[in-house]
Amino acid sequence: MTETTITTPSWVQALDKYVASKPIEDVAADLGLKPEEIIMLVANENPNGMSSKVKEAVATAALNLNRYPDADAYHLQKAIAERYGVSQDWVVIGSGSSELLGLAAETVLSEGTTAIYPQYSFSLYPMVARLCGAETIEIPSTGDFNADLDAMADAVDERTRLIFLTNPNNPTGTYLAEKDILDFLDKIPPTVMVLFDEAYVEFLEPALRCDSMEIVRLHPNVMVARTFSKAYGLAGARVGYGIAQPGLLSMLNRVRHPFNVNDLSQIAALAALQDQEFVEKTLEVNRKGI
Ligand SMILES: Cc1ncc(COP(=O)(O)O)c(C=O)c1O
């Protein structure tokens, strides 16, 4: 392999490429198995397939792809806003919630700034932060593998611009109590963005979930990020959404590429949002562990 002669920032040179798992067919061939004999757990995908309503919606939409998609995913954005009782300018749609994590980083981070995240959390947090030239600070977890909120708050200084917090957490499966989250947020300066990642929130029993919409109403520096990849079974469509106050989103939307979510994915997510029966079935299967 020849080395490139192009000039790249030092922080790009220091990054490693994200290593995704091999296609299941290749893994099966390596192991001398059939693909259907393998249970893939690596990406927390939905084992129940996807909603049949999504299949119908996408099949129809696939016949009409001559137009660009709506640049803001208008219909999906509206449906999510209605579901959570916020106005549409509180909602941003991303190509997976991963894109939203990256956009949050690009919006607030640069060389000389830092991002804080808990140990044993999603590997993308330090990646997207370092990509912006920022330094990352990993805060050791508590003895029971949860985020150490006190230590995270103590680590904030004048260089801090972004904090990642996950609830419930991947990969530990731990969750944070609402009171602890509220106490934590009260300690964070309003100049620091908090990305509250709720990719798995549907899997928490309702009594254990915190009122994230109230958190966003109280804290103009917080963005909640959720995804259609897990409970809704749409990992392949790459759709996630963020909810935050319009001031924060007006900055983030300057960084976001228009047309970032393709037409089929917008339509798939809208149909998935309207099929709560599928989500309930997923949660039931997950609860039983079958
Ligand atoms: C904690 C957490 N956040 C975010 C994501 C990103 O999901 P997606 O980009 O598919 O929405 C994942 C994916 O595994 C995750 O585990």
Side-chain angles (χ1 to χ4, degrees):
M1 192 180 74
T2 54
E3 298 221 345
T4 182
T5 51
I6 62 165
T7 306
T8 48
S10 56
W11 54 87
V12 171
Q13 292 163 30
L15 284 174
D16 290 318
K17 181 182 177 295
Y18 181 82
V19 183
S21 54
K22 283 205 261 184
I24 191 86
E25 293 76 15
D26 287 19
V27 176
D30 287 353
L31 297 171
L33 296 169
K34 294 189 192 121
E36 54 276 19
E37 288 177 300
I38 297 177
I39 298 173
M40 231 174 111
L41 299 173
V42 67
N44 294 335
E45 291 146 333
N46 194 321
N48 304 291
M50 66 187 219
S51 151
S52 52
K53 294 191 176 128
V54 172
K55 288 183 190 171
E56 281 165 33
V58 170
T60 311
L63 302 174
N64 288 301
L65 292 174
N66 56 315
R67 303 273 180 207
Y68 279 92
D70 188 88
D72 295 322
Y74 178 88
H75 295 292
L76 179 60
Q77 186 189 43
K78 185 164 182 279
I80 290 170
E82 280 167 7
R83 162 136 335 170
Y84 294 109
V86 293
S87 63
Q88 218 163 319
D89 54 358
W90 286 54
V91 179
V92 60
I93 310 297
S95 175
S97 59
S98 300
E99 187 194 22
L100 299 171
L101 306 181
L103 288 176
E106 286 176 66
T107 303
V108 298
L109 296 176
S110 57
E111 244 184 315
T113 65
T114 63
I116 295 174
Y117 65 97
Q119 188 186 17
Y120 308 128
S121 55
F122 188 36
S123 58
L124 216 56
Y125 303 153
M127 277 184 69
V128 296
R130 287 179 199 150
L131 188 56
C132 301
E135 277 174 48
T136 52
I137 302 175
E138 180 178 288
I139 304 297
S141 292
T142 57
D144 54 1
F145 301 105
N146 217 332
D148 187 337
L149 295 178
D150 289 337
M152 286 177 73
D154 287 347
V156 173
D157 64 15
E158 67 291 343
R159 294 199 306 149
T160 313
R161 296 287 181 279
L162 180 60
I163 299 176
F164 291 103
L165 198 60
T166 333
N167 197 41
N169 190 42
N170 171 32
T172 60
T174 50
Y175 68 93
L176 298 160
E178 181 169 58
K179 184 179 179 321
D180 295 339
I181 295 167
L182 290 172
D183 289 349
F184 169 74
L185 291 173
D186 281 343
K187 290 186 215 158
I188 304 305
T191 47
V192 174
M193 179 174 179
V194 178
L195 192 296
F196 192 48
D197 183 345
E198 290 194 320
Y200 301 93
V201 70
E202 294 87 357
F203 295 94
L204 262 188
E205 291 300 329
L208 299 178
R209 290 180 206 164
C210 60
D211 187 348
S212 344
M213 294 312 122
E214 185 58 14
I215 288 179
V216 167
R217 276 191 199 95
L218 289 172
H219 295 278
N221 56 329
V222 175
M223 179 165 92
V224 169
R226 293 186 179 174
T227 183
F228 285 92
S229 297
K230 311 297 178 182
Y232 290 91
L234 283 186
R238 313 302 303 121
V239 193
Y241 58 99
I243 301 184
Q245 293 196 19
L248 191 160
L249 290 191
S250 79
M251 286 295 160
L252 192 130
N253 275 322
R254 294 170 204 209
V255 180
R256 181 176 61 85
H257 291 199
F259 316 116
N260 57 327
V261 181
N262 73 65
D263 234 351
L264 292 182
S265 297
Q266 293 186 25
I267 285 163
L270 187 57
L273 191 69
Q274 286 154 356
D275 189 357
Q276 283 305 305
E277 224 175 282
F278 175 84
V279 175
E280 287 309 321
K281 185 178 153 246
T282 292
L283 301 186
E284 193 189 323
V285 169
N286 188 66
R287 236 174 266 128
K288 288 185 184 155
I290 48 175

